[in-house]
Amino acid sequence: MMSLSVRRTLVAIAALGTGLAVAGVSVAASADQEQEQKPRPVRASVVGSGEFVLPYHRDKDVRSFTFDARAAPYSRPLPGIPGGLPTDARGTVKVSHYSAERDITYTSKGRVDCLVTGVRTATLTAVITEVSPGGPPNAGKRVGFSVYDGGDGKGEEKGEGKGRSKDRVGFSWNGVNLLPKGTTPPKEAPVGTCMAPAPYAPVTKGGYVVAHAELPSPPLSPKGSTEPAGPSPE
C-alpha cells in the first residue's frame, strides 16, 4: 500500500505539471495575440485625380492628372542592381489637357516605375506608353510628377486625407527641366527615376491622397545578408 507521504508527493507533482501546461498555453496565446496586433507592413501610394492651374500662365485650358501609383520595393531589376531599388513602384498615370484655343483634349498614359513619399508629399515617375492623336511625341519618355496632399480639418482626424483645395502638383516639363548650354536654346533634360520639381501648381478640383511609408530595407539574400540597393558610392 502506498504511504501517505508518497501520495502527497505525487499529487504535488501532478499539480505542478498542470500549472506548467496552463502557463505554456497562456504564453503561446499571448505570443499569438502579440503577433496579430503587430501592424502589417505599409506600402506607399498616391491615388486620385485633380485639375490644376499654372500659377505663371493663366488661360482657359483644363489640365488634370490621374494617379494610381503604389510602391513595389525591389521588384524592378536593373543592370548591376539585380535586386531592384526601394523606390520601385507600379501603377498608372493619365495626363489630360484640354486646349481652349483648339477645342480639343489631348491625353497620354504612362506606366509608373518609381515612387518615394514623405509626410503628405510624393514624387513619382512614369514612362509614357500611349499618346492621343495630335499630342506631344512623348511615347517612351520618362516624365516626373510631384504631389502635395493638403488634407483638411474634416478628413484629417479620420485619416481620409481630404481637403482637395489645398492640394498641389508639379511636373517635369513646361520649362522646369531644361539644360541651358551656350547661346543655343536650352533643350529639355532627361528625367531620372523619381525626379520631379516641387508641387508648384494649385489643384482647383478633385485631389489626391498620399499614403506615406518609409523606404524598406532590402530583403534577405539566400545567405542571410542583404543585397546592396544600388551601386556603391564613389
Side-chain angles (χ1 to χ4, degrees):
M1 181 179 293
M2 188 180 299
S3 67
L4 179 60
S5 61
V6 171
R7 286 201 300 271
R8 288 176 177 175
T9 300
L10 292 176
V11 169
I13 292 174
L16 178 61
T18 301
L20 290 175
V22 171
V25 171
S26 299
V27 170
S30 177
D32 290 342
Q33 291 176 356
E34 183 178 349
Q35 186 70 24
E36 290 177 359
Q37 292 175 357
K38 286 184 179 179
R40 294 181 178 180
V42 177
R43 292 286 186 242
S45 64
V46 180
V47 296
S49 182
E51 297 179 4
F52 61 92
V53 295
L54 301 178
Y56 54 84
H57 181 68
R58 298 290 181 173
D59 56 25
K60 295 183 179 180
D61 291 8
V62 180
R63 302 171 177 85
S64 70
F65 295 149
T66 301
F67 301 128
D68 183 5
R70 303 175 189 277
Y74 306 102
S75 63
R76 304 176 65 87
L78 294 171
I81 315 175
L85 297 168
T87 53
D88 288 343
R90 296 191 178 99
T92 57
V93 302
K94 180 180 178 181
V95 179
S96 177
H97 181 183
Y98 168 74
S99 171
E101 180 181 358
R102 301 178 183 178
D103 192 25
I104 188 172
T105 298
Y106 302 103
T107 61
S108 59
K109 298 179 181 179
R111 183 184 67 254
V112 175
D113 64 357
C114 189
L115 170 66
V116 62
T117 62
V119 178
R120 292 191 176 182
T121 63
T123 60
L124 61 148
T125 48
V127 177
I128 298 300
T129 57
E130 182 181 333
V131 180
S132 66
N138 287 338
K141 292 180 62 176
R142 177 180 290 105
V143 292
F145 305 89
S146 59
V147 179
Y148 171 68
D149 177 0
D152 72 359
K154 297 179 181 178
E156 285 179 6
E157 295 180 357
K158 298 179 181 179
E160 295 172 357
K162 296 181 179 178
R164 304 306 173 225
S165 63
K166 297 179 182 179
D167 291 2
R168 303 176 73 88
V169 293
F171 50 98
S172 63
W173 61 97
N174 266 21
V176 298
N177 183 39
L178 301 179
L179 281 175
K181 185 177 181 180
T183 58
T184 59
K187 296 182 179 180
E188 194 170 280
V191 175
T193 55
C194 276
M195 292 293 101
Y200 56 86
V203 172
T204 57
K205 183 178 180 181
Y208 308 95
V209 175
V210 174
H212 169 56
E214 302 295 346
L215 296 177
S217 300
L220 292 177
S221 70
K223 295 182 179 180
S225 62
T226 57
E227 293 183 358
S232 301
E234 295 181 357

